[in-house]
């Protein structure tokens, strides 16, 4: 038995995402009740973080704080100790609506600190909105997960951290495989890790998410070198 | 004497830029006549590429093809052999106006293939506009200079080149030091070079531009390792 155990791999489960509907996959949990049930299954199977979006009754993306509140209450009851992360991503609302649930003080929230292209449009995260979301996270003591769709987003997070604009050392997630943004490229992945260690310290945890067909590839890369994984 | 001469360093002179006015600096050339005179001075001092924007009479940015035509005519006469590069950047016009001068068939034109943050706003280059600008460059045989404000822009250029969406192998320019985009970071600079060589071949030329206070630093880095420099 080794003297020190390796850091366990944390699995972050993205139960719903912002877009897929029951028509795409009948198993996608849409209502808050379905989301709680689905998360509990993942929690019991070993997931330690839940990345959550909420939906309207017609399955469209929402950032309704009331739905987030019901979800948080159910998760705290059924998945005690699980880390709850809310999405502040741009597909669920416009402008400050994206952060309307932060006063609920989840453990974590996603934070995009730069802009980039998506398959058919620009993913817009204007500087003043980024700063406002970060300041709300500071106010409610919410740890940011930086969604690094590109390399500069990691350097921007380091700058915001140095400036005191982030509540805590951020948890950086590399997002790879989105069309027109960063592809799932192994050399870039290795440089991302090197950059996180250089800017935030060798022991800083990070995670990686591969989108669509790249999910397993990126999970395998991450788990093999000590990162955490996102479904 | 060495058997082979090193590749000479090309200097690209950005005579006007999109924003500074006479009030900021009385030496900024604004009219086409002033631009031609200023470029000729730089050409005689050794610059081999001119990166050009045009301006309206009130000094605001313009993408007026008629002004670009007069500029090109004057440059061809007074700076014979100089490489003429027109800007298709987003500060000079909206949407397809940005490429309205491409039928003039300059030697080169700048091309942003992704989006990123600028000091106070999002620099928007939506995928369909990028593809349209690239297709106009193909039609008029204009060599693209990729403005790499972030790492994914280099990978996106490689993908567009592999897909046949670019007229030729692109000339990649690293743009560093823009607030809220990529800072002037030496490790990133070295990885940019490594990535260009990996994706486009060891002999592919590249250049680097540092913005504002970072101009000299980035020029020195570039010239020392065999890249080209932009004022
Ligand atoms: Zn999400
Ligand atoms: Zn994660
Ligand atoms: Zn320019
Ligand atoms: Zn250049």
């Amino acid at each position: 038995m080794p003297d020190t155990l390796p850091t366990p791999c944390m699995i972050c489960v993205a139960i719903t995402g912002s877009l897929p509907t029951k028509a795409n996959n009948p198993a996608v949990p849409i209502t808050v009740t379905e989301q709680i049930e689905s998360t509990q299954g993942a929690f019991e199977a070993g997931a330690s973080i839940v990345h959550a979006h909420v939906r309207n009754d017609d399955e469209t993306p929402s950032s309704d704080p009331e739905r987030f509140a019901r979800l948080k209450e159910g998760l705290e009851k059924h998945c005690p100790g699980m880390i709850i992360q809310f999405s502040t991503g741009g597909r669920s609302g416009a402008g400050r609506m994206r952060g309307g649930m932060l006063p609920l003080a989840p453990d974590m929230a996603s934070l995009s600190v730069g802009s980039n292209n998506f398959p058919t449009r620009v993913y817009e995260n204007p500087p003043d909105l980024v700063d406002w979301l970060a300041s709300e996270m500071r106010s409610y003591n919410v740890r940011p997960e930086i969604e690094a769709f590109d390399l500069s987003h990691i350097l921007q997070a380091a700058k915001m951290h140095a400036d005191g604009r982030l509540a805590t050392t951020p948890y950086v997630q590399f997002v790879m495989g989105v069309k027109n943004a960063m592809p799932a490229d192994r050399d870039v992945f290795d440089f991302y890790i090197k950059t996180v260690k250089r800017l935030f310290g060798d022991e800083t945890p990070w995670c990686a998410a591969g989108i669509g067909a790249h999910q397993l590839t990126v999970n395998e890369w991450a788990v093999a070198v000590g990162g955490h994984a996102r479904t």
Side-chain angles (χ1 to χ4, degrees), chain A residues 129-212:
Chain A
L129 179 63
V130 171
D131 282 344
W132 180 80
L133 287 167
S135 77
E136 287 289 286
M137 292 185 199
R138 283 201 312 278
S139 299
Y140 300 104
N141 199 25
V142 179
R143 183 167 186 186
E145 173 176 285
I146 303 298
E147 304 303 323
F149 286 93
D150 211 334
L151 177 59
S152 79
H153 303 179
I154 301 175
L155 286 95
Q156 178 73 4
K159 185 168 195 298
M160 293 178 69
H161 183 239
D163 288 352
R165 281 181 281 168
L166 297 183
T168 60
T169 304
Y171 183 58
V172 178
Q173 166 154 285
F174 316 142
V175 187
M176 306 189 100
V178 175
K179 189 184 169 192
N180 297 326
M182 184 61 79
D185 180 286
R186 180 65 206 228
D187 288 19
V188 170
F189 176 82
D190 291 339
F191 191 72
Y192 274 176
I193 298 171
K194 216 175 128 184
T195 303
V196 166
K197 290 182 186 230
R198 169 167 71 98
L199 300 174
F200 299 105
D202 268 345
E203 304 309 316
T204 306
W206 53 268
C207 70
I211 302 304

Side-chain angles (χ1 to χ4, degrees), chain A residues 104-121:
Chain A
L104 297 169
D107 303 297
M108 301 181 78
S110 62
L111 179 65
S112 286
V113 297
S115 299
N116 53 272
N117 277 357
F118 267 178
T120 60
R121 65 184 180 90

Side-chain angles (χ1 to χ4, degrees), chain A residues 14 17-18 51 53 87 91 110 230:
Chain A
S18 53
H51 171 83
H53 293 253
S87 171
R91 279 173 288 213
S110 62
R230 169 68 179 266

Side-chain angles (χ1 to χ4, degrees), chain A residues 30-138:
Chain A
I30 299 293
T31 67
V32 167
T33 308
E34 286 170 345
Q35 290 186 309
I36 294 165
E37 200 175 326
S38 168
T39 307
Q40 188 175 359
F43 180 64
E44 285 164 2
S48 42
I49 307 181
V50 56
H51 171 83
H53 293 253
V54 293
R55 297 294 185 86
N56 297 310
D57 291 338
D58 66 357
E59 306 193 29
T60 56
S62 167
S63 53
D64 177 13
E66 194 273 324
R67 277 168 208 257
F68 272 113
R70 281 195 285 127
L71 178 60
K72 184 165 179 273
E73 201 186 312
L75 292 175
E76 283 165 350
K77 184 167 167 198
H78 294 279
C79 312
M82 193 173 203
I83 297 167
I84 299 175
Q85 177 186 112
F86 288 166
S87 171
T88 68
R91 279 173 288 213
S92 312
R96 295 190 175 194
M97 279 175 59
R98 289 166 51 177
M101 83 301 276
L102 293 171
L104 297 169
D107 303 297
M108 301 181 78
S110 62
L111 179 65
S112 286
V113 297
S115 299
N116 53 272
N117 277 357
F118 267 178
T120 60
R121 65 184 180 90
V122 179
Y123 180 38
E124 294 187 52
N125 294 289
D128 55 352
L129 179 63
V130 171
D131 282 344
W132 180 80
L133 287 167
S135 77
E136 287 289 286
M137 292 185 199
R138 283 201 312 278

